[in-house]
Each structure stands twice: as C-alpha cells, then as structure tokens.
Amino acid sequence: MKAWIILWAVALCVAQPTKQALAADGVGVRRIAAPSRERGADLDVTVWYPAQPGAEPVMLGGGMFFTGTPARRDAAIAPGKFPLVLLSHGAGLAGSAQALSWIAAPLAERGFVVAAPTHPGNSGANRSAAETMKLWLRPADISDSLDAVAREPFFKDHLNAGEIGVLGLSMGGNTALALAGARIDPKRLAAYCDTDRLNPSLCGWIRESGVNLHALDLRSAGRDGRDRRIRFAMAIDPAPVDVFDSESFSSVDIPVALLNLGPAANIPLTAQAAGIAKAIPVTTYETIADASHYSMFALCRPGAAESAEAQKVGDPICSDGGGRSRQAIHAELIERAATAFSRALRTGP
C-alpha cells in the first residue's frame, strides 16, 4: 500500500496544556462551514488567525505517523486587519486541512488569517479515488471558503479587503494554479493513469479502487476556475501539473511563485514546475535542493519511519533530501511563504 492509499481524518483534538501548547498563545483556530452548491453539502473549513492569549489549547494535524501543531481553539482574534491566505491541501496522508497546520499556524502567528477547506473525498472514511481526481471541483471549494470567511461575523471586520492570496501544496498546488487561471485539459486528465510513468503511487490507488479516468464525466473539467479576488498564488511541488492545457498558462494574470522540493533529477515528473514557470507571464521559480516531496508532511513521530515500513505504506514519508532536518526545511518553507505573501499582499506600512 502507498501513502496515497493509507488515509485518515485528522481530528481537532483537545491537548493538555503542555509547554508546546502554551507556546501557541498567538494562534487561534476556528472551524466554520462553507456552503457548497456544487458539492451539495457544507465544506469543513479550518481557519487559523492571530489571536489574543487564552482559550483552550488544541493540537492539530497529528496522527499515527506525525506530530501535531499547537493552537488555541476559538481564542479571541487579535485587534487589527489581516491579509487572507487560502490554503489548499494535497491528497493521501496530507489529505485534510489540518494536515497542513505545520505551515498554517506559523503564518497566522506572523499576521495572516489562513483558511483551508478539507476537499471532499481526499481523506478519512469517505476517501474516494474518483472524487480525488475531480480536480476541477477544488477551486470552487476555495472560493466557497473565501465567501464563508468573508461573511463570518468573527472574521469579516478583521480582513483587509483585496489582500487575498492562495497557497497550495502538492495537489493543492494544482488547485492554486487553477485559481490563478490555468485550465485542465480533459484529455490529459483522462489519460493520466494510462501508465505508471507519471505517478505510480496515485495511479496504483486509482486502479485498485476500480476507477477508470476515461469513464469520468469530464465535460466540466476544462472550465475556467479562476477567482478574480485572488491577487497572488504560490504553489509548492504542484501535482499533477501535466494535466493542464499548456496554452492556458499564458492567460494567468496574477503573480505566481513556484517552488519545487529537491534537486532537478529527484523532483517527481508530475510535480516538475520549471517548464510552466516559463509560460506564466509573471512568475518566480525556485527549488530547495535538500528537501523532498515528503518534506510537505508534518514532523514524524519517533519510530514513524519504521511503523510506516511495517504497515507497507510504500513511500519514505519521513525522508527528506538529506543534510537538514525536516524541522529546518519547514522553517525555510514558512519563511519563504510569509515573505512572498507579505510582499504580494500587504499594502499598508
């Protein structure tokens, strides 16, 4: 079994007030519902935000293999107005909003409101290979979440109008690019798992689930999913990038930051963003050579690598590029994201 297959819901669980939890006084977390006409049900949206001290400590994003990140549930929001970063998660072990707490909470601590829906079908008991591959539905999840946060009384007076960006990791990076104006090519998406060349882990799960991508109703797959309220997009190891209509990248009209993890030879083919960086009018492209795609997971618990091997996860979920710890790589990713969104969004002093 692969990391795409072993999925579980990451709960918003109450933590004892340990030193780690007490260190999160500046980060609040709140869950809200975002009505989704297309999904036919409310989306579960997690929002991290700058907070005043106090309120109940919680740990987010922990699980069998990974450590959690502290925050304060429903803490009073800090005075002032803040930029909004919309966050889109990946699939598999990172298939929930709270799996990205390791980057969301530090961004909130640095003065951003961060809102992330859990995309239906990507994780937990209701995981579905077919729903996971309906990539064209994900941008609307983000737009619906933006609507919900903007009208939520708790947040609406604390958001800076117009200071809105999107951050996507892995499959969330595909979503971020779609929100910026890239469009899926239905033929490329249908053929994505015809071989294992592009993504053997994901495509293995799709086949084991009995899903034929050619049989999906792809009539809406090539639609324009952009949201004009979003001013800046950042995508880290966006995957799959090879299902987009390559000509659509030239129509992206907001700045985009692309970041790949690992040396060029080790970047998964389906996440390789160097080529599309050349096609987007205003973009930056960088790499972190001593990281890997697995560096986007939370910190591993002691013994997690051995446990994953025993459970035949099939992917080295605790392995990075070598030379630096995941904690150090996370620190760099957080710093890069905070700097990029500050430069792109903040209009005040």
Side-chain angles (χ1 to χ4, degrees):
M1 298 174 72
K2 299 288 187 178
W4 288 91
I5 307 170
I6 297 182
L7 316 167
W8 66 90
V10 181
L12 181 67
C13 55
V14 177
Q16 296 300 313
T18 61
K19 288 184 179 180
Q20 185 181 23
L22 289 171
D25 270 338
V27 179
V29 65
R30 192 177 185 93
R31 290 171 74 170
I32 65 173
S36 170
R37 182 180 307 173
E38 193 158 42
R39 297 287 192 178
D42 288 350
L43 298 167
D44 180 16
V45 181
T46 303
V47 188
W48 298 259
Y49 54 91
Q52 300 180 48
E56 181 183 23
V58 295
M59 295 294 286
L60 308 174
M64 184 184 307
F65 303 125
F66 305 115
T67 63
T69 300
R72 294 281 179 170
R73 179 155 56 192
D74 295 332
I77 192 166
K81 293 191 175 185
F82 311 101
L84 174 62
V85 175
L86 300 157
L87 179 61
S88 182
H89 63 73
L93 289 176
S96 73
Q98 292 172 28
L100 296 184
S101 297
W102 65 266
I103 193 169
L107 287 176
E109 197 169 24
R110 290 171 181 241
F112 297 91
V113 173
V114 182
T118 289
H119 298 290
N122 281 242
S123 187
N126 296 320
R127 63 189 180 271
S128 162
E131 292 303 311
T132 294
M133 292 307 293
K134 292 179 181 178
L135 303 174
W136 63 94
L137 299 181
R138 283 170 144 255
D141 294 341
I142 297 295
S143 294
D144 290 339
S145 299
L146 172 53
D147 292 338
V149 174
R151 65 173 171 259
E152 178 74 20
F154 187 85
F155 294 111
K156 68 178 184 179
D157 293 331
H158 293 276
L159 300 176
N160 264 335
E163 296 187 2
I164 302 170
V166 62
L167 170 63
L169 286 73
S170 194
M171 192 172 282
N174 175 287
T175 305
L177 291 171
L179 285 158
R183 295 189 308 278
I184 290 171
D185 182 333
K187 292 183 179 179
R188 289 187 177 185
L189 179 57
Y192 184 70
C193 289
D194 284 357
T195 71
D196 276 343
R197 186 177 68 91
L198 297 175
N199 197 329
S201 182
L202 175 60
C203 290
W205 176 43
I206 289 171
R207 281 194 300 274
E208 289 174 19
S209 300
V211 173
N212 178 358
L213 296 182
H214 290 277
L216 291 181
D217 184 351
L218 299 173
R219 287 175 292 180
S220 299
R223 68 190 184 187
D224 188 345
R226 82 179 75 203
D227 190 320
R228 295 287 185 183
R229 296 171 292 181
I230 293 172
R231 291 178 44 200
F232 173 71
M234 183 175 188
I236 302 175
D237 262 11
V241 295
D242 28 28
V243 298
F244 284 115
D245 176 351
S246 56
E247 295 184 359
S248 71
F249 291 120
S250 63
S251 71
V252 173
D253 56 5
I254 62 172
V256 175
L258 296 168
L259 179 62
N260 272 142
L261 304 181
N266 293 345
I267 296 168
L269 181 63
T270 196
Q272 175 57 258
I276 65 173
K278 298 176 182 178
I280 296 173
V282 181
T283 187
T284 61
Y285 175 74
E286 297 179 301
T287 64
I288 299 180
D290 61 351
S292 78
H293 196 72
Y294 306 107
S295 299
M296 290 184 287
F297 290 148
L299 301 181
C300 283
R301 293 184 178 278
E306 294 77 13
S307 178
E309 184 177 356
Q311 295 186 48
K312 299 182 180 179
V313 169
D315 289 320
I317 60 173
C318 296
S319 295
D320 299 289
R324 277 196 302 168
S325 68
R326 181 165 298 178
Q327 186 172 18
I329 294 168
H330 280 187
E332 180 174 352
L333 288 169
I334 292 161
E335 181 63 32
R336 289 197 185 207
T339 299
F341 282 100
S342 291
R343 288 174 176 169
L345 300 182
R346 285 193 165 119
T347 55

